[in-house]
Amino acid sequence: MRTRAFALRKCFVSILCAGVAALCCGSASAAPSLFSVSSSSTRAVALESVSMRAEPFSLNGAANFFPADPRTRITVFCMNLDFLQGEGASSLTADAEDAAHNLYPLKVEYVGTVPSFDGVYMVVLRLNDSMTSNLGDVLLRLNLHGAASNRVRLAIGTIGGGPADDSAPNPAPATPPGAATPLTVAQYQAQYNNPAFASDSDLRRFLEQASWGGRGDDVDFSHLRAIGIPAYINEQFNMPPQFIDASTDPKFSLASNYPFSQSYPQFYPGSPAPPCDSSTTCFRDNYTLYPLQKQFMLNALTQPDQLRQRVSFAVHKFIVVGGQQLNGNQPFWFSPYLQTIDRNSFGNFRNMLFEVTLNPGMGEYLNMRGNSVVSQSNPTPNENYAREVMQLFSIGVDTLNQDGTPVLDAQGNRVPSYDQTAITNLARVFTGWDLDTNKSISLDGGVTQTSAANYQDPMVPNNNRNRYDIGQKTLLTDVNHGTPVVVPACANCTTGTSAQQLANTQAYAITSLGTAIDNLFNHPNTGPFLCIQMIHQLVTSNPSPAYVGRCAAAFANNGSGARGDMRAVITTILLDPEARGDVKTDPNYGHLREPVLLMTSLLRAFNATDTSKTDGVLVSNSPSNFSNTMGQNIFNPPTVFSYFSADFGLPGTNLVGPEFGNLDTSTSYARANFMNTLFLQNTGVPGIPTGTNRPVGTKIDYSALQALATTPQQLVDALNTRLMHGTMSAQMSASIFATVNAISSGDPGGRTRTAIYLVASSSQYQVER
Amino acid sequence: MKRSRREFLRDTGCGLTAAAIVSSLDRLSIVSAMVQQQPEVAADYKALVCVFFNGGSDCNNMVVSLDQFSSYSAARGDCSTPGATPNLGLAQSMLVPINPVSGGHFGLHPNFSPEVANPAQLAGLLGPWNQGKLAILCNYGSLLQPTTKAQYQSNAGGAFRPYQLFSHSDQINQQMSSIVKTTGQTGWGGRIADNTGSLNGVTVLPMNVSVSGTNLFETGVTSRQLAIGTGQLQTVLNLNWNGPASATPFTNGSSFRQLLGFDTGRALIKTSSDTMNQALSADQTLNQPDPMLTATFPGTSIGNQLKQVAKLIKIKDTLGMKRQIFFCQIGGFDTHTNETSADPTVPNGAGGQGNLLTQFSQAARAFYDEMGAQGNSNSVTLFTLSDFGRTFQASGSGAGSVGSDHAWGSHGFIMGGAVLGGTFYGAYPTLDVNGPDDDGGKRGRWIPTTSIDQYGATLAQWYGLPANLLTTVFPNLSKFATQSLGFLG
């Protein structure tokens, strides 16, 4: 492709020069600027790449340059491609819209500068396979770093028809731009060291990505404005979580947003359950996830280490333990898992994988706990953890390029990253581990002494030697090994005294486990796999391959030679041009706010008060009530595939939209009903249930907005700034204004609440862009 | 402040003709597609009801060959014997014996008909089996083409191994999409709806209804599913409004509704708005009093789901539906451990397969009885899907009850008045880890002998999908000689 394109562009130069010389200027902008043929037409400067014919374009190239793929390639011209160093086609996306408003993604196959016009680019696009031969005019758009170009008109089959223009004609400027000097990633990031560099909307979007939502009192925004994003990120990295208590157990270094959780016996001692306000042994607080769910909301609304919380929840969503599968939701079985993630969120991913693997809750959930061979000759150990740790926690099912795109074989098929044999071998490594010795516990102020299964300490190699598979296992190739890593058979597990054999076997198990975790950690897929997960959750559902690649490079090397540094990954994700910059106009940018994020964003935006009863947002003693109704029962994902599938496809498109996996007819109403409860109903009126075991409900404070209600446009504008960082369209603003204006000025509260409801319940807000 | 449905319907002044509602919903591509198709409305009613066993149900304990019982018990042991290793197998005395017309002697998992061992239990599926209204499709699964053991192992040209066998997410995708070479973007239930929408004429509700959330199965190229919960129809979709009357979202042209029509060039925003639009239209149509049902549904999740389906079928004429595809699911079948209990006649604890099969069989039986009482038996066919089957050989061992790992071929259950039942379709596998049906891994991962395409196509033809559109809906069907398996009359 490259060779041919270079050849072609020589031919184009003369054509283009005429255009450049004759026509005039567009305003300088960060968005790509596609050229149209004249100042009175939006028709693209476009040529069929092989034949150099002008439009209309047929679907298959007349010259049939690629017999195996005859689909027509189109060359268009543009400027203002603000590439970073090394960026090219994989940073660009393109789409075309037809008269029926179908949107066709177009593959960008090549981009390069035009000789002697180093600021002018030619872009080669492949027509979409779903297009029909007589489509008529389509509007073409290019996107780079979340910024959309103007749209120009192309004819497929016949000239004419198509959607109405939505951009002005954009001829090439009389004086073409000079050569761009692309920034390196480090240079791009360094711009943000100047706190004044970022626009307000950029900073507000940053808070949407890096916290549970910007605060209505702007304390976080003002601080961010004062110190800049890089310093803010570092501050977050160095901010300790709220519970640091190494004294509870020397083996258990607690540095987390979840407190030490008292061990409890498997079955509730005594009946009936005492009320929770008067007893520490009540059912709700010890046999349901209530205390952890409540802690989650409290943390999200009040704790300053917001970035850790966002990252930890993101990790929880792809390294999943579901609380409901753990012994009737016992929080003490579950909290060590949350603590494990918390303490590794800003650490190294290798340690995350290792500690999660030995977490007893995980062991219980995916059956590594107690996993045992049937016999050495016929091991057939339980495959559950081996399969899911590869598929979901580390490398994924497809062999990936470093930019996250799948490697394809000669037939165009994806290449599996492991097979059943690899699963079987890894499962054999994961044998022999079980819970540590029981915890002795004291209940009822010391009246009752009993013991409980140990779900606090990491799992340990069990004392039953027969459970271990001590044979050779073949794992995967990785970045340090060109051939599959081999765990050798144990040399000394059957020699010496019985005690020596056990000790040797346990030592072998520990070494083998380390080798296996290293192998997964060092697999080339792990960086791009982790990056895709994190970008999906923090920034956008459909990142460009280049964005994923920059993140994966940071995973591979944090700049100091270390692999797997979570801080480097997070920094790179949040300081990428695809995350930063002014308002994003790429139509596919962003992601749907999942229920939890929707709730926290609004509660923080409106200064939720009475945070000692944050669970009371839900006006019941089930803290997950609203979240659950919206399809996300906190800490209780239905399966190890999480609350929703990470690769859920947006129906009718080739886009990914994970959070749409639980948006359906019912939950779309549930979302609006949450807004109704929070903004229209939960206004402090009497009648909300109260009682010792019945939280009374969090209230929001919208008084600052209400002060603007006499001038409804100011109210709408403030909501645009605060909730949508300036992305609200003029027609949306006008519609809300009309409705708010129609409410009596004597009812400023009604005006304010209605305006908030309309913005918050809108798809435009719920899709965070 | 909350407004009643009645007020809402009055104020919006729709008069509730379908055409009036449709005209206000021109943004919904499904509706406009239907209008454009100049429908030839079906005279009769038919419905497909999919029950998805989420997690991969262990087919080897669902239907046990008594003729191969010694192989079975040698591999799986006996869960009723304390201390047995492994304890994955069912004792022959527990099984519910059946003698299919197709030959051989088999036993159903006892929890498929819990009343046999324990008359106090609600009845399961032995009755419909004995009436010839329950068929079992043996060892079906995702296949690129008919595949032998040697072909699977050589995988010449990559032509014999479906994408990502044994992976939950990918195999669920393939069961729902019948696209087995890659990741399907649409489901075969959705594509049936894309191609049979004309049978319904102009309706407000889409053809496809889920009572268990968003699913790929019912997602078509243009068709979208309505996903509702269980419980009273009048409150199943309930939008609350406590704001000023002038701003009510119930009024056409309100700002709430206007916003749904803005920014539709942005794919994520459009999908979110389309979903809300669909809720707003279905809300009115579903605002019906619950019909009286004859059968007693168990209060389980799957019981409530099938009860909701039964209610919707009973008021099909009110809703104006002639063809419907329903989706239900029951989760927890990923039984790597604790698959069996010592006494399967007593439904065991959470997670055990027997407990789930009890829930399914009692709910499905109530549904079957209810369809009979409604006179809709011959119009409604219930069928099961699952991620995959599970290994014949147990997974690991240990102190507790063991389970089984992910495998491939599985058995489907098809029930209804139109089913030619009391017999097996497909080929029951040879229960031998060194045998012809094993994939070569020697754990008893059965290579399917019938494809998901054939299974789906058989259901689709009965439903009314024209023969010339079969390969449109099931692109891989032409690889298989038989396009109708014959289990529906």
Side-chain angles (χ1 to χ4, degrees), chain A residues 152-464:
Chain A
V152 291
R153 195 166 279 275
L154 278 182
I156 307 295
T158 51
I159 296 177
D165 285 330
D166 56 6
S167 308
N170 186 43
T175 307
T181 48
L183 304 176
T184 63
V185 172
Q187 286 169 335
Y188 179 86
Q189 295 180 351
Q191 300 175 104
Y192 281 86
N193 288 333
N194 173 7
F197 178 75
S199 68
D200 280 4
S201 76
D202 195 0
L203 293 185
R204 290 194 186 278
R205 194 173 65 252
F206 173 83
L207 289 172
E208 292 171 7
Q209 295 161 344
S211 79
W212 288 111
R215 287 173 50 145
D217 60 12
D218 268 357
V219 167
D220 47 1
F221 176 79
S222 304
H223 184 55
L224 184 60
R225 172 51 81 203
I227 68 169
I229 291 176
Y232 179 94
I233 291 175
N234 274 328
E235 197 174 85
Q236 288 282 304
F237 283 158
N238 295 318
M239 190 175 288
Q242 59 184 309
F243 300 106
I244 299 176
D245 181 4
S247 67
T248 52
D249 189 318
K251 276 187 286 187
F252 189 75
S253 141
L254 186 64
S256 159
N257 279 308
Y258 295 89
F260 176 80
S261 197
Q262 169 76 51
S263 298
Y264 268 74
Q266 182 155 4
F267 300 103
Y268 180 74
S271 165
C276 288
D277 287 358
S278 64
S279 169
T280 57
T281 59
C282 76
F283 183 84
R284 183 193 72 187
D285 290 347
N286 299 291
Y287 293 89
T288 75
L289 289 181
Y290 173 87
L292 297 178
Q293 294 170 325
K294 180 180 174 185
Q295 188 69 53
F296 170 86
M297 286 303 275
L298 269 173
N299 293 343
L301 299 193
T302 65
Q303 285 303 307
D305 65 337
Q306 290 282 304
L307 183 57
R308 181 197 318 277
Q309 294 181 40
R310 279 300 298 272
V311 171
S312 290
F313 195 71
V315 172
H316 156 62
K317 282 172 55 197
F318 76 92
I319 301 183
V320 171
V321 172
Q324 62 198 346
Q325 271 82 13
L326 295 183
N327 194 23
N329 290 318
Q330 263 179 276
F332 96 88
W333 288 38
F334 193 76
S335 56
Y337 155 78
L338 294 175
Q339 291 157 353
T340 298
I341 291 178
D342 264 2
R343 70 172 169 265
N344 286 297
S345 281
F346 293 159
N348 191 286
F349 190 66
R350 195 271 179 198
N351 206 52
M352 175 84 79
L353 265 185
F354 185 82
E355 290 201 8
V356 157
T357 298
L358 290 183
N359 172 263
M362 178 65 82
E364 189 71 33
Y365 187 58
L366 293 181
N367 312 133
M368 182 169 154
R369 181 219 153 178
N371 189 20
S372 169
V373 295
V374 173
S375 68
Q376 293 300 321
S377 59
N378 176 28
T380 66
N382 191 306
E383 295 173 355
N384 202 9
Y385 189 69
R387 179 183 300 279
E388 307 306 1
V389 73
M390 287 199 283
Q391 176 166 351
L392 298 172
F393 303 170
S394 60
I395 69 174
V397 296
D398 296 322
T399 304
L400 300 178
N401 297 306
Q402 283 305 293
D403 66 6
T405 56
V407 170
L408 301 178
D409 66 14
Q411 287 81 41
N413 297 317
R414 289 173 284 179
V415 179
S417 50
Y418 54 86
D419 61 9
Q420 181 58 41
T421 306
I423 291 170
T424 306
N425 276 271
L426 189 57
R428 292 168 54 213
V429 174
F430 294 141
T431 53
W433 296 82
D434 210 329
L435 302 185
D436 206 342
T437 49
N438 280 7
K439 304 290 275 191
S440 173
I441 58 172
S442 167
L443 295 177
D444 310 325
V447 176
T448 310
Q449 292 291 331
T450 182
S451 76
N454 188 343
Y455 282 89
Q456 286 179 346
D457 301 314
M459 293 191 293
V460 294
N462 189 256
N463 288 335
N464 182 346

Side-chain angles (χ1 to χ4, degrees), chain A residues 485-545:
Chain A
V485 168
V486 171
V487 176
C490 181
N492 57 4
C493 287
T494 55
T495 55
T497 65
S498 176
Q500 284 167 338
Q501 290 183 22
L502 176 61
N504 292 342
T505 303
Q506 290 176 328
Y508 172 75
I510 292 168
T511 307
S512 301
L513 183 69
T515 304
I517 296 299
D518 282 341
N519 187 223
L520 295 177
F521 171 69
N522 287 316
H523 192 282
N525 268 20
T526 303
F529 181 85
L530 169 70
C531 285
I532 290 172
Q533 305 291 328
M534 298 302 294
I535 292 171
H536 276 182
Q537 301 199 44
L538 300 181
V539 181
T540 182
S541 298
N542 294 280
S544 73

Side-chain angles (χ1 to χ4, degrees), chain A residues 668-684:
Chain A
S668 69
Y669 264 16
R671 284 170 177 249
N673 286 344
F674 170 70
M675 311 304 168
N676 184 69
T677 300
L678 190 63
F679 299 121
L680 302 179
Q681 192 176 39
N682 185 13
T683 52

Side-chain angles (χ1 to χ4, degrees), chain A residues 367 372 380 382-384 387 391 397-398 414 420 660 663-666 668-669 673 676 735 739 754 763-764, chain B residues 163-164 166-167 169 182-183 227 238 240 242 244 255 258-259 263 272-273 283 336 393 396 406 443 445:
Chain A
N367 312 133
S372 169
T380 66
N382 191 306
E383 295 173 355
N384 202 9
R387 179 183 300 279
Q391 176 166 351
V397 296
D398 296 322
R414 289 173 284 179
Q420 181 58 41
F660 284 88
L663 182 74
D664 62 31
T665 327
S666 290
S668 69
Y669 264 16
N673 286 344
N676 184 69
S735 173
T739 299
T754 300
S763 303
Q764 289 84 347
Chain B
Y163 177 69
Q164 291 296 337
F166 323 132
S167 145
S169 52
T182 180
T183 305
N238 205 16
N240 302 326
N242 292 78
S255 185
Q258 282 180 354
L259 299 188
D263 300 300
S272 169
S273 293
D283 180 336
H336 288 274
Q393 198 176 50
H406 304 181
R443 291 207 59 194
R445 291 187 163 93

Side-chain angles (χ1 to χ4, degrees), chain B residues 29-48:
Chain B
S29 58
I30 175 172
V31 175
S32 37
M34 284 178 182
V35 172
Q36 287 158 12
Q37 279 177 6
Q38 300 298 324
E40 294 172 32
V41 181
D44 59 352
Y45 177 82
K46 281 183 179 176
L48 289 171

